[in-house]
Amino acid sequence: MKHILLIATGGTIACAKTQDGLAPALSPGQLLGRVPDARSFCQVDAVQPLNLDSTNINPSHWLLLAKLIEENYSRYDGFVLCHGTDTLAYSAAALSYLIQNTGKPIVLTGAQKPIDQEDTDARQNLLDSLRYACHQDSGVCIVFGSHVIAGTRAKKTRTKSYNAFSSINFPDIAEVRDRRVVRFIPWEHQGPPQFTHSLNTRVMVLKLTPGLPPEAFASAGALCDGLIIESYGVGGIPDTYLFQLDALARAGKTVVLATQVPQEGSDLSVYQVGQRVKERYRLLEPYDMTLESTVTKLMWVLGQTQDGEEIRRLFYTPVNYDLLF
Ligand code: ASP
């Protein structure tokens, strides 16, 4: 029988009603008590390093979770993390960079309704996740609403429905149907897992809106080493901000020109407003990567190196299906 470590971190799945609204309350033992069927196919140990609404999750928690998995890696066949849905896609992407090439499944899940509610999706999601963690296919992924999504490709696209997550610019990697895992994308696993232990959290996103004050660039630049500008369509920079880009380049900031359109990604080569800045400032672009992956990958890359060429190389090296270009 497979041996799984359940890592509970809070979120709606573990929430109970309070006078001020839902708040995480249940212990991992209580969560497991709601899915007794799991006992028939796996043996589960459980820990609870955090008990947070995932609104409160930050990069220090990603490092803590990665370390916990590293310390327990040899003892278990797979890992299931229960996590709030609001920042789950960021955590899944961050863990995809911090734990690369994992030959053991690392599954993140959550729910739209607390596990004790009658019409909850939590019991199914938890059971599906434990089942998937027992499967031989590996990597960091999200199991939610019977979809299995690569950890770098998920986005929360619905705030209330049970199918809260979509796989962006990439197919689901598998599905849990009844009690079986149907895999669509083969897992390519080469060599031992690689754990990294640092992130540069000085990464920010600046979303362009028509008329955004130019001073926003200098303010954001002062607070970060890596700036992701979420521009429009396939990507471009309005004429009024070119001076601001000059200043960011002179200050040695790493600038990524992304798109705020969720599907199909960037291509700065298409329009003059994109091409002229990409060449002049050696901007990076995410192509088909999600914003969640772009943010966490940049934190991971800038945590490894400050060398411009190495930053480019690492940023454009695909990890856990994040980039197809
Ligand atoms: N606010 C909750 C959280 O992210 C929402 C959820 O879990 O669905 O922790």
Side-chain angles (χ1 to χ4, degrees):
M1 204 178 257
K2 298 276 184 174
H3 201 185
I4 306 297
L5 182 63
L6 177 75
I7 303 173
T9 71
T12 294
I13 192 168
C15 272
K17 283 191 182 137
T18 72
Q19 278 182 336
D20 318 321
L22 293 172
L26 269 60
S27 69
Q30 288 172 309
L31 289 174
L32 282 171
R34 307 307 189 265
V35 287
D37 290 359
R39 279 191 228 121
S40 66
F41 61 87
C42 61
Q43 187 196 333
V44 186
D45 292 339
V47 289
Q48 188 176 41
L50 309 167
N51 203 14
L52 297 174
D53 187 304
S54 77
T55 304
N56 287 313
I57 292 279
N58 66 48
S60 72
H61 300 123
W62 302 333
L63 291 169
L64 179 143
L65 294 171
K67 187 156 171 268
L68 182 66
I69 293 170
E70 183 176 11
E71 284 167 357
N72 286 285
Y73 196 78
S74 59
R75 293 214 284 278
Y76 293 93
D77 299 304
F79 300 84
V80 173
L81 291 92
C82 289
H83 192 293
T85 60
D86 290 345
T87 59
L88 190 127
Y90 284 96
S91 295
L95 290 177
S96 298
Y97 298 113
L98 291 170
I99 311 171
Q100 294 185 26
N101 215 18
T102 163
K104 297 184 179 183
I106 298 173
V107 180
L108 291 95
T109 196
Q112 291 283 56
K113 296 265 175 75
I115 203 159
D116 277 340
Q117 233 164 280
E118 210 175 308
D119 58 346
T120 185
D121 52 336
R123 289 192 286 274
Q124 194 61 52
N125 286 345
L126 183 52
L127 209 52
D128 285 350
S129 298
L130 290 166
R131 208 176 288 286
Y132 189 81
C134 293
H135 204 255
Q136 61 188 22
D137 293 325
S138 308
V140 177
C141 64
I142 289 180
V143 173
F144 206 99
S146 81
H147 298 268
V148 184
I149 301 174
T152 57
R153 288 292 183 172
K155 186 178 281 294
K156 186 171 180 181
T157 47
R158 291 178 187 84
T159 54
K160 295 173 184 170
S161 308
Y162 290 161
N163 55 342
F165 288 90
S166 306
S167 186
I168 302 297
N169 299 331
F170 197 71
D172 288 356
I173 54 174
E175 215 174 84
V176 187
R177 272 190 212 151
D178 295 327
R179 292 172 190 175
R180 283 178 308 137
V181 171
V182 182
R183 181 96 191 183
F184 307 129
I185 306 284
W187 170 247
E188 289 152 19
H189 172 237
Q190 308 132 350
Q194 287 150 14
F195 294 91
T196 40
H197 308 102
S198 58
L199 294 169
N200 180 343
T201 58
R202 284 177 51 86
V203 166
M204 271 185 67
V205 179
L206 179 64
K207 184 170 189 153
L208 293 190
T209 49
L212 178 80
E215 298 76 28
F217 285 79
S219 307
L223 295 172
C224 67
D225 299 328
L227 182 65
I228 299 162
I229 301 171
E230 261 202 308
S231 79
Y232 313 115
V234 285
I237 288 281
D239 304 345
T240 39
Y241 304 138
L242 293 181
F243 182 72
Q244 274 66 33
L245 275 191
D246 272 328
L248 290 171
R250 275 199 309 278
K253 306 295 177 187
T254 300
V255 179
V256 181
L257 192 50
T259 175
Q260 49 195 265
V261 181
Q263 303 278 353
E264 299 177 359
S266 70
D267 184 353
L268 296 182
S269 68
V270 178
Y271 295 101
Q272 197 184 47
V273 287
Q275 219 183 85
R276 65 178 177 185
V277 286
K278 180 165 182 178
E279 283 164 12
R280 184 149 148 212
Y281 301 108
R282 301 248 312 140
L283 300 183
L284 298 168
E285 65 173 309
Y287 296 106
D288 60 321
M289 273 194 279
T290 63
L291 179 70
E292 291 82 347
S293 287
T294 306
V295 168
T296 53
K297 192 174 200 178
L298 196 56
M299 286 185 184
W300 171 73
V301 168
L302 296 179
Q304 314 308 305
T305 182
Q306 291 170 3
D307 175 78
E309 280 316 305
E310 187 60 2
I311 290 171
R312 295 187 87 73
R313 191 187 69 76
L314 288 175
F315 188 78
Y316 286 132
T317 302
V319 175
N320 195 21
Y321 313 107
D322 65 349
L323 182 65
L324 286 177
F325 87 104

